[in-house]
Amino acid sequence: MTPLVLVCGAAGFIGRHVCKEIYNRSITAVGLGRGSLSQQEIDQLHLRSWHSANITLKSLDVALQSEVPSSIIHCAGTGSV
């Protein structure tokens, strides 16, 4: 069974690189965060699915579809500090 990882902020600069590395390690990733991704971008990031939403308990439940991820990688945040 392939491990499942949730990447919060997968559409951002760091999140995109994390998703590619997860794929290189033969791990399945689900992305959650703000913004929209085209199907082409989802495919390039090798995401099983992308969920455009603020990170809340409800959006986590929807993104994971009652699955339990082996880990959650939080890359979400603002680009201006």
Side-chain angles (χ1 to χ4, degrees):
M1 180 178 203
T2 305
L4 175 68
V5 172
L6 173 66
V7 180
C8 299
F13 179 79
I14 295 172
R16 288 174 183 266
H17 291 283
V18 167
C19 289
K20 289 177 184 176
E21 186 58 33
I22 287 171
Y23 173 76
N24 290 338
R25 295 173 186 239
S26 301
I27 299 171
T28 301
V30 171
L32 172 66
R34 292 184 180 173
S36 60
L37 294 178
S38 67
Q39 187 59 50
Q40 181 181 6
E41 290 173 303
I42 292 168
D43 294 342
Q44 288 173 341
L45 295 174
H46 308 285
L47 293 173
R48 183 178 79 183
S49 59
W50 166 251
H51 302 274
S52 178
N54 287 325
I55 300 168
T56 64
L57 288 176
K58 184 177 179 177
S59 65
L60 289 170
D61 189 43
V62 169
L64 294 172
Q65 301 172 11
S66 300
E67 294 181 82
V68 178
S70 59
S71 57
I72 297 173
I73 302 175
H74 186 75
C75 302
T78 181
S80 58
V81 216

